[in-house]
Amino acid sequence: MDPFLGLLVLILGLGLLWSSDAWTRSTKLLATALVVLKPLAFVLFGVSGRMGSIEVLVLLAAGVALPVAAAIRLIRTARPTRTP
């Protein structure tokens, strides 16, 4: 997929997260950090030029585990929203 599309989806998702009243600020910060760490790690490893096969496997595993951990945290801490 196009990396710009992925970045757009990431920004849109974080915007929706932060505009919601269903979670506390600390939960939003944790979920944001967990989701943003993967692209940041790819950029840091890519710039340093130390991207071997082990690093790629670790980053791919983290790329699945970190967003899943964020989603589990958001599901467990969701509070009912007010209906208009």
Side-chain angles (χ1 to χ4, degrees):
M1 289 187 58
D2 187 18
F4 295 112
L5 179 62
L7 181 63
L8 179 66
V9 170
L10 177 67
I11 292 170
L12 179 65
L14 289 175
L16 290 172
L17 170 68
W18 281 93
S19 65
S20 175
D21 292 334
W23 297 284
T24 63
R25 184 169 185 236
S26 63
T27 302
K28 291 178 186 180
L29 283 171
L30 178 65
T32 301
L34 288 174
V35 171
V36 172
L37 280 177
K38 178 191 162 203
L40 183 63
F42 268 112
V43 168
L44 291 177
F45 276 118
V47 170
S48 70
R50 297 179 185 201
M51 192 76 122
S53 59
I54 298 297
E55 287 84 3
V56 171
L57 290 174
V58 168
L59 287 175
L60 289 175
V64 172
L66 292 176
V68 168
I72 290 170
R73 171 67 186 244
L74 290 173
I75 289 169
R76 286 185 178 175
T77 60
R79 58 182 180 219
T81 58
R82 293 174 280 173
T83 55

